Every structure is written in structure tokens, then in C-alpha cells.
């Protein structure tokens, strides 16, 4: 019916009635044998201002309309009748809602009055008097009777709830009660008439109010009212009016106008979601400010644990022989260890003993006792010392002989052995009691369960409980009483759950699951199995959880087909039983407990604990109830949700739930698939929950501690806006703009021109770059060149110049002292040593394969060009050197991570050639005609170098070259 209304489909009342009557014989809608069901009367559907609140009318052929829709249905099952009446409200006005709520109170009043032994007319008069007291104008609108007794006959005419009935109610009778208000809305001008009608089948009890037998169909306003959006209809009407006003707009102009209006007015779902999130962010910060301001002056009561005292006075110390004889004595009654210290018995409470150890060495037994003291780890801040500045005993050791003297019954060490055993025993007992007291510390005292002896109490059998009462899983029965549930196991264990202690109740059917369950999320923890529990679950298995893979199976095997059919029937039967139980409990508790069912189609995978599970939203929570421990997040308690590790190259992201209580630990769901991000965002946005996202994981304990320490400062700085990625994107955009302005790439024509420049331009640049300058100037030029984006050849040249300026004086002095000759002789001597050492090193060098490398020819050609014909090379070498340096720089430029210059010796260069080349490299460039020396056998990969490494390397190479020269001479 709701689907027809939403689609605005025109359907007649009679057609709806026929569909309802056909559904009575369909197994899909009926949980019992449909062959045993038949209608007591044709279903009645009424709407559109034409109402007759009685069961003798028929559904007419008028169209189903919005407003109040009255539905009446009577079914006979196994020859016994039942009846139900409901009124569905579509887009009801405020006046309709108020009158419907008042009708519900009248209905509840009637149920309370139906008790065994009462006169029927008295019940009717009391209800009418209540209506006259509350709303006198509605007395005339009431129905003439409030129901009748039913059974094999649909209506017993002698037992009617009317003003003239003389009969009395009797326990065990079944009545069809119905209360209605007719001809409503007629007093208001322009309003159509409507009627409200509610009816159920009830069982009369002896003392208490009547029991609802058709309470499974809810009748609260939120369950029967349907609110449809009217904005779209209004917009369509406006568009139609605009089109009617301009009929001359035809053809292309009219089509363009419609397209433009759609493009300008319609927003994408993402934009609407972002806009809604901005509104939620502002509202959230304001609400958080007000909440923290109201809690500012309040401080929670801190419970101080009572310190343990062994004896109140010395008179309580026992006068045992062991104490008098100054031996170790364990007092079990007061949980105290008495130790002899300096000839006096000194008591220590067992809680002050950290640990004890016993050792046997030779003829003696040692007993070592360690005590708690200030500065030691006592636990998690549980024990505090009243006077920490006093002197404390950290440890004490006793020794006794294992030898038994003549005439002694026991060895002296027996006292230490006995004390060790008793201390361990008392320690274990004390720790167990302390753990139980700690568990019971924050328990809230529950009310006493009121047991109902009514045999018709809702009950479910063969249920298991989680967490287990004992280690082994046991079955039991769950029964609903007056103010709570009681679970009784087959062993006799009892667990009571009161209605007023249930925060959320869930019913998860067995569709797609191997268990069907009822789950209770409690306000205050309850104690059973020696532990506190906030979540209690009752479940039963459906089918086989494990399958024997070794069993031969065939798809057409009759046994398998029958087993599948039996499992389907079991699932259907269990679902019906659990659903009936929940409906009866809601009626019994007067909707104090309402069961919520997870929406399986809205679920998404995630890992709240160790394993990945299916997380399913409900109307007010996000839960996973199948796996244990359960995961329950109440959405009303959530402040915001933050998505972490949201990056496109990652497969998963994390969800962090921040609660409105900032002192509460945040909850996290890990490993949510990235393709579910939009789905989760849409769900949170529909629940009016603020969310944000980021690429990093935050240290939430520190974040929440900082907020709790200074909440005012946190909200003055923008509150939770620091989680928004918008501010980070703006900053990143500004940085990108600055980088784009700073970097101006050169044109391709300039690069081509620089490659085609003649040797004179290059020699001029080389002479300027290799001129004598201070180290500070060279560093400044190097920094500026890096910012201007020079190529690798320029960077190599500047690095070589900087190294030469820094090391020229040191190496020049060493060369003068060792050679003692002029500059011309110093140019020839390295060549001789180079030639003489090259032959010997070729015989002794372990790298034989390197002698045939192409670097050998490059060495010889470089030295010949640099020594024999310096003037000739000045015209030809610059362009070649420039091309070679550019080729080398391109090869070396592949490794962009290296940013420091470092001159390294090639592995396949000879030691003598390297020494001579290094000697030539470190010469002043002014002595040669401004030419750039060739670096064959070397690789320059950056700007700066470590001077200490270069000095150490050059020193070893020179020593090797001189030793080689001596051997050759």
C-alpha cells in the first residue's frame, strides 16, 4: 500500500481488499498452515473522507487517497476468530497526530480496565468519563461500543462493551476491542473529514490488565505514519505553470531553456554532501562548546582506595611460639607476614610484598623477599603511599641451615620453607579477592526482578548465552517477566536483565547467517561468571556450521534435497518464533524495550578487532553481532568520524569514531575497502554525522588529551576544522604557485643555441669561472646557480672550481717539498712516473680486466694533450670537452637523489694514472691558458665534497706513486 502511495498510483479500495484476502492463503505472508485460515469478513479499506467504523461494511470502488486510511482484518484459524484494526496516516497534520496520540492513551486506559469480574458497562462508562475529562469535544466522536467477546462466533451479542451491557468479564475470555473517533476535521473550514480506528484481540486476566494477542502489529504514530516529500511536487507544479504561461516558446529555444535551468539548479550528490557537512561542522563545534561549558565546573568523584592495615595496634599481634621465638610467621586471618628484624617481630601486610624467591646453596636455604616501595612499579597507579618520604625496606634475605642437630625434629630451614609456601598461598587468595572487588567497584545496583507467574509469558527455549557463564557452552531458557528478562541454564545458573538497564536491543534474523540471535547492549554492566559485561547475547545455531568435505555429495541426492528443505523450514520457524517473542516483549514492556534489526544491504566489511567482519548499520547504531566480541557503536554518542589513510594507491582505509565524551577512548575500524568510501560517506551524511578524511594516521590518545586539557583554546583555534583537508589543499596550492613562479624553464631554442656556441665563448666562460676568487664568493655563486636551474655541466665546472680553490695551497706546498724543482720539471716528472709505473702496475694489479678497458686510451690521450701541446688543444679541446661533459652529465643525471659533489676514483683506472690525474686536477687553472682539465677516470656527481675523504685519498695515492717510482728507479 505504501509503495502504491509513493508511486502515486491510483488503486481502488476493493482491489487492495482483494490483495489482502489473497495474501491469507500465501505461505510467504502467513506463518501457519494457510489451509486452516479463512477470513471472518472481507477486508475493509476506507479513505478519502468516507468512513463507517463497523465490521459490516464492504470496501467500495473509490480510489485510495492520502490522509487517514482505515484497515480492518478478521481471520478465523482452526475455527477461532481474531480481529485487528489499524489507521495509517499519510502526511498527517499536527492536529491529526495529536488526536491519534490521544486515541492511543484512551486505548491503553481501556486495556487497564479490562480485568476479570468487572461489569462491561462500568468499563465503558469509565473510559467515556476519562475522554470527557481530557477532551470533552471528542465524546460525541467516540464509537458507540468498545468491542465484544469473540471465539467460534465472531461477535457474541450478549457480551458487548457498551453502556447497556449487564454481563461481566471473566478470566480466559477473548475480546475484540476497538476504539475509534469518527467525523473528525468537519469543524475546520477547508479540511476534509477523517476518522481514526484502533482494534486488537485481547485475553482477559484475573488480576492484571488484558494481554494483547495481536500486539505484533505496532500502532505507535512512528509506525503507522508516512511522510512523503512535497518539495519535488511543488517544483514540478511551478515548472508546469511557467510552461503554461509561455506557450509560444517552442522548438529549440524552449529546449535550451529547460536544459539551462537544470544545469544551473541541479547539484551533484557530492556537492550536496559537502554543503551538508559544512553545516554539520558549524553545528557540531557550537554544540561541543556548550556541552563543555556546562561540564566545566563539575568534577567527578574520585574514589580513593582504602589502604591495607595489618593490625590497628600492637595488641592484635598474635602470641604464637614462632613470633616469640623470632621466626617467620604468616597470619592468614589478617593476611600479614611477621618478620624478625633486629630482635623485634615486624608485621608486613601481604599487599606490600612484591615477590619472593627461595634458593638452596650448600647447607643453607635462602629466602629473599622484595617489597613495594616508592619509585617501584606498583601497578597502574593503584597504590599510593601516605608518607613517601619515610624510609622503606626494599628487600630482605633470611638464611637457615639445612642440617638437623641431634635431638631436633626438623631442620632450621623448615621455617623458611613453610613461610614460602604460606606466603604464596595468601598472596594468591588476596589477589583473587582484589580482582573481584575491582570488578564490582563500578557496578550499579540493579532493581529486583519481579517474577510473573503467568503461563503466557513470552519464552524462548534452547538458547545459548554469550559470554559463557562457564567455560563450556550450555543451553537455557529466556523468559520475559514484568520488569525484565531471566535466563535460566540447564545447570540452574540465572542471569537477570532488567528493561530499564537495556540501552539497545537487537534482533538479527538468520538470513545469510548461521545463527539467529537477540543482543542486549546495556547501560550499566552486570556481573556473572565473575566478570562484568556490557553486552549479553542469546542465540541458537541454524543448520550445520561445519561441513564434512569428505562426504560424497550429489546435487540431485534426495537426502541432500530433503536436508536443505528441512533447513529452510527450520530457518522460517525460528525466525517466526523470535519475531513473535520480540513483539510480545515490546507489548509487555509497553515499548520500553524496542528491538532493532540490522540493515544487511547497507553493511560493509571492516576489522574492529583482529578479524574482518561485516559491519551492519541499524536505525541508531553500527553493529557486528555475529562474531565475538561484539562491536556496537551508538550513533547518538558519536561526535564525528575521521577516515585515515585515504589515498588512491591504497586498497583500504581506517575509520575513527570520536565520541561526544572526550574522556572516552576513540573506537577504530581498520581495513575498510576503498571502494566502500562513498557508500560509508553517504550513510553517515544521511545520519547527520560529521565526517572528515586525511592521508595520515593520528595519535588519537595525545590528540584527545590535548583537547581535554585545554578545550577553550582548542575551539578558539577552529575546533575540529584541523581535520578538514581544505586548509591543507589551499596551503599546498600556494606552495605550488610559488614554485611555479620561481622555476622558469629555458626554451628549446636557447638549449640548441648553447650547444652550437663556438669555442671562444666557452673559453671566456671557463676563464671567468676558473679565475681566483674567495671561497665565500664561490659558495654564493654555487647557491645562485642551483636556484637558477643550471645544467649538469655548469654544476660540474663550479664544483671543480670550488674544490680547486679550497685545496690548491695545501697540495701545491706538498708537491713543492717533495719534488724541489720548478714548475716545468714538475710537469714532466709525473709523466715519467706515470709511464714507468703503468708497466709495473699492469703486472701487479689484481684487476687484469681493467687494463684493457677503454679508459686506458682516454688516460693517454688526456695526458698527451695536456702536457705536450697545450696551445694546440686550446683551440680544439673546449668543444669536445663540452660535448663530453654534457654526455657524462646526462648519464650521471639519472640518479637525482644524489645532491653532493664527490670526486671518486674509477675502479678500472690504474693507480699511477689516477695519481697523476689528481695531481694535474689540483693544479691552479691560471698556469694553463684557462683550459678546463679533462677528468678521465673520475666521476663528478654533485656540487660539494667531503674534504677529509679527498685529502686521505690523495695522500694514499701519492705515497703509492712515490713507492712505485722508487722501485722503478
Amino acid at each position: 500500500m505504501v509503495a502504491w502511495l509513493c508511486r502515486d498510483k491510483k488503486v481502488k479500495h476493493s482491489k487492495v481488499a482483494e490483495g489482502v484476502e489473497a495474501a491469507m492463503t500465501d505461505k510467504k505472508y502467513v506463518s501457519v498452515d494457510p489451509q486452516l485460515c479463512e477470513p471472518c469478513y472481507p477486508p475493509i479499506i476506507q479513505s478519502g473522507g468516507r468512513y463507517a467504523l463497523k465490521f459490516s461494511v464492504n470496501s467500495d470502488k473509490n480510489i485510495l487517497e492520502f490522509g487517514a486510511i482505515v484497515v480492518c482484518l478478521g481471520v478465523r484459524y482452526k475455527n477461532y476468530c481474531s480481529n485487528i484494526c489499524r489507521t495509517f496516516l499519510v502526511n498527517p497534520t499536527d492536529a491529526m497526530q495529536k488526536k491519534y496520540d490521544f486515541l492511543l492513551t484512551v486505548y491503553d486506559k481501556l486495556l487497564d480496565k479490562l480485568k476479570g469480574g468487572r461489569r462491561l458497562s462500568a468499563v465503558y462508562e469509565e473510559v467515556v468519563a476519562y475522554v470527557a475529562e481530557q477532551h470533552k469535544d471528542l465524546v460525541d466522536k467516540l464509537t458507540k461500543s468498545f468491542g465484544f467477546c469473540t471465539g467460534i462466533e465472531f461477535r457474541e451479542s450478549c457480551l458487548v462493551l457498551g453502556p447497556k451491557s449487564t454481563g461481566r468479564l471473566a478470566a480466559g475470555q477473548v475480546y475484540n476491542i476497538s476504539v475509534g473517533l469518527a467525523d473528525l476535521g468537519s469543524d475546520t473550514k477547508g479540511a476534509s473529514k477523517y476518522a481514526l480506528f484502533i482494534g486488537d484481540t485481547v485475553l482477559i486476566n484475573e488480576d492484571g490488565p488484558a494481554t494483547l494477542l495481536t500486539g505484533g502489529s505496532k500502532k505507535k504514530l512512528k509506525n503507522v505514519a508516512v511522510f512523503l516529500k512535497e518539495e519535488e511536487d511543488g517544483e514540478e507544479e511551478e515548472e508546469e505553470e511557467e510552461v503554461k504561461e509561455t506557450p509560444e516558446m517552442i522548438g529549440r529555444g524552449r529546449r535550451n531553456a529547460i536544459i539551462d535551468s537544470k544545469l544551473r539548479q541541479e547539484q551533484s550528490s557530492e556537492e550536496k554532501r559537502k554543503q551538508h557537512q559544512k553545516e554539520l561542522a558549524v553545528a557540531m563545534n557550537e554544540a561541543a562548546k556548550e556541552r563543555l561549558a556546562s561540564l566545566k565546573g563539575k568534577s567527578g568523584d574520585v574514589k580513593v582506595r582504602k589502604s591495607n592495615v595489618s593490625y590497628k595496634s600492637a595488641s592484635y599481634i598474635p602470641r604464637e611460639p614462632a613470633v616469640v621465638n623470632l621466626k617467620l610467621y604468616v597470619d592468614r586471618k589478617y593476611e600479614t607476614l611477621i618478620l624478625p628484624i633486629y630482635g623485634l617481630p615486624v608485621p608486613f601486610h601481604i599487599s606490600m610484598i612484591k615477590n619472593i624467591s627461595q634458593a638452596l646453596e650448600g647447607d643453607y636455604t635462602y629466602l629473599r623477599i622484595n617489597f613495594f616501595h616508592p619509585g617501584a612499579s606498583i601497578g597502574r597507579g593503584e597504590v599510593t603511599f601516605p608518607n613517601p618520604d619515610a624510609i622503606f625496606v626494599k628487600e630482605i634475605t633470611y638464611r637457615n641451615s639445612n642440617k638437623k642437630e641431634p635431638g631436633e625434629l626438623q631442620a632450621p630451614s623448615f621455617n623458611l620453607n613453610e613461610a614460602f609456601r604460606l606466603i604464596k598461598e595468601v598472596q594468591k587468595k588476596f589477589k583473587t579477592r582484589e580482582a573481584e572487588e575491582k570488578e564490582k567497584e563500578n557496578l550499579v545496583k540493579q532493581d529486583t526482578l519481579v517474577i510473573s507467574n503467568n503461563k503466557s509469558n513470552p519464552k524462548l527455549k534452547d538458547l545459548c548465552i554469550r559470554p559463557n557463564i562457564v567455560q563450556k557452552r550450555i543451553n537455557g531458557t529466556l523468559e520475559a517477566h514484568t520488569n525484565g528478562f531471566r535466563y535460566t541454564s540447564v545447570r540452574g545458573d540465572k542471569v537477570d536483565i532488567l528493561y530499564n538497564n537495556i540501552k539497545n536491543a537487537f534482533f538479527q534474523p538468520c538470513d545469510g547467517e548461521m545463527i539467529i540471535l537477540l543482543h542486549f547492549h546495556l547501560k550499566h554492566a552486570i556481573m556473572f561468571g565473575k566478570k562484568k559485561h556490557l553486552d549479553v547475547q542469546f542465540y541458537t545455531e541454524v543448520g550445520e556450521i561445519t561441513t564434512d568435505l569428505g562426504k560424497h555429495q550429489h546435487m540431485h541426492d534426495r537426502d541432500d534435497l530433503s536436508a536443505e528443505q528441512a533447513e529452510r523450514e527450520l530457518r522460517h520457524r525460528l525466525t517466526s518464533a523470535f519475531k513473535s517473542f520480540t513483539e510480545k516483549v515490546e507489548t509487555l514492556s509497553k515499548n520500553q524495550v524496542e528491538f532493532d534489526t540490522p540493515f544487511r544491504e547497507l553493511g560493509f566489511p571492516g576489522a574492529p578487532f583482529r578479524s574482518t567482519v561485516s559491519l551492519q548499520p541499524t536505525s541508531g547504531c553500527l553493529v557486528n553481532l555475529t562474531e565475538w566480541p561484539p562491536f556496537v557503536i551508538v550513533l547518538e554518542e558519536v561526535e564525528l568520524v575521521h577516515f585515515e589513510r585515504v589515498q588512491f594507491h591504497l586498497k583500504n582505509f581506517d575509520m575513527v569514531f570520536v565520541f561526544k565524551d572526550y574522556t572516552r577512548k576513540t573506537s577504530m575500524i581498520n581495513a575498510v575497502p576503498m571502494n566502500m568510501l562513498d557508500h560509508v560517506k553517504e550513510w553517515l551524511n544521511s545520519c547527520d554525522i560529521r565526517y572528515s578524511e586525511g592521508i595520515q594516521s593520528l595519535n588519537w590518545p595525545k590528540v584527545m588529551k590535548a583537547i581535554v586539557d585545554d578545550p577553550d583554546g582548542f575551539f578558539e583555534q577552529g575546533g575540529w576544522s584541523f581535520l578538514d583537508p581544505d586548509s591543507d589543499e589551499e596551503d599546498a596550492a600556494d606552495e605550488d604557485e610559488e614554485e611555479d613562479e620561481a622555476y622558469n624553464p629555458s626554451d628549446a631554442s636557447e638549449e640548441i643555441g648553447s650547444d652550437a656556441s663556438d669555442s671562444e665563448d666557452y673559453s671566456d666562460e671557463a676563464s671567468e669561472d676558473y679565475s681566483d676568487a674567495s671561497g665565500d664568493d664561490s659558495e654564493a655563486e654555487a647557491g645562485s646557480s642551483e636556484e637558477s636551474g643550471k645544467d649538469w655541466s655548469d654544476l660540474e665546472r663550479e664544483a671543480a672550481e670550488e674544490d680547486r680553490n679550497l685545496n690548491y695551497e695545501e697540495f701545491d706546498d706538498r708537491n713543492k717539498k717533495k719534488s724541489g724543482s720548478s714548475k716545468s720539471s714538475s710537469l714532466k716528472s709525473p709523466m715519467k712516473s706515470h709511464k714507468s709505473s703503468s708497466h709495473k702496475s699492469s703486472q701487479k694489479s689484481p684487476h687484469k680486466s681493467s687494463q684493457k678497458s677503454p679508459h686506458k686510451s682516454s688516460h693517454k690521450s688526456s695526458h698527451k694533450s695536456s702536457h705536450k701541446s697545450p696551445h694546440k688543444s686550446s683551440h680544439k679541446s673546449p668543444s669536445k670537452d663540452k660535448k663530453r661533459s654534457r654526455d657524462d652529465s646526462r648519464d650521471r643525471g639519472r640518479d637525482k637523489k644524489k645532491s653532493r659533489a664527490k670526486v671518486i676514483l674509477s675502479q678500472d683506472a690504474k693507480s699511477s694514472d689516477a695519481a697523476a690525474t689528481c695531481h694535474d686536477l689540483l693544479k691552479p687553472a691560471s698556469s694553463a691558458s684557462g683550459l678546463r682539465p679533462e677528468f678521465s677516470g673520475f666521476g663528478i656527481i654533485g656540487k660539494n665534497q667531503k674534504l677529509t675523504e679527498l685529502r686521505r685519498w690523495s695522500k694514499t695515492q701519492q705515497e703509492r706513486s712515490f713507492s712505485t717510482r722508487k722501485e722503478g728507479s
Side-chain angles (χ1 to χ4, degrees), residues 764-913:
D764 294 338
E765 289 178 4
S767 62
E768 291 176 2
D769 293 332
Y770 284 93
S771 61
D772 294 327
S774 62
D776 296 337
D777 295 338
S778 64
E779 290 176 3
E781 290 174 2
S784 62
S785 65
E786 185 179 10
E787 293 175 358
S788 61
K790 293 184 178 181
D791 58 1
W792 280 96
S793 60
D794 297 335
L795 295 177
E796 290 173 2
R797 185 177 62 254
E798 292 177 2
E801 178 194 356
E802 183 180 358
D803 298 339
R804 184 178 295 102
N805 292 334
L806 292 175
N807 300 298
Y808 164 68
E809 295 180 358
E810 180 180 352
F811 283 97
D812 190 46
D813 293 340
R814 289 182 181 178
N815 293 332
K816 284 182 179 180
K817 289 179 182 179
K818 291 182 180 180
S819 62
S821 61
S822 62
K823 294 183 179 179
S824 60
S825 62
S826 65
L827 288 171
K828 295 178 181 178
S829 58
M831 286 299 298
K832 293 179 180 179
S833 62
H834 168 66
K835 292 179 180 179
S836 61
S837 61
S838 60
H839 298 287
K840 294 183 178 181
S841 61
S842 62
Q843 298 173 2
K844 298 178 180 180
S845 174
H847 305 285
K848 294 182 180 180
S849 61
S850 64
Q851 296 174 7
K852 299 179 182 180
S853 64
H855 292 286
K856 184 175 181 181
S857 60
S858 65
H859 281 297
K860 292 181 180 180
S861 62
S862 65
H863 292 302
K864 287 180 181 179
S865 61
S866 61
H867 293 291
K868 292 183 179 181
S869 57
H871 299 287
K872 188 181 288 185
S873 63
S874 63
H875 297 285
K876 297 180 180 179
S877 62
S879 60
K880 294 180 180 179
D881 295 341
K882 186 173 182 179
K883 291 180 180 178
R884 185 183 301 149
S885 62
R886 285 186 179 276
D887 294 337
D888 295 339
S889 64
R890 287 169 185 166
D891 294 335
R892 298 185 191 101
R894 294 172 183 173
D895 192 1
K896 296 184 180 179
K897 294 183 180 179
K898 299 181 180 181
S899 61
R900 296 195 176 214
K902 197 174 193 181
V903 181
I904 56 175
L905 181 62
S906 178
Q907 293 182 356
D908 47 355
K910 297 178 181 180
S911 60
S912 59
D913 294 343

Side-chain angles (χ1 to χ4, degrees), residues 169-188:
L169 296 168
Q173 288 181 340
V174 176
Y175 271 75
N176 170 26
I177 62 170
S178 53
V179 184
L181 296 172
D183 293 332
L184 297 174
S186 58
D187 299 336
T188 307

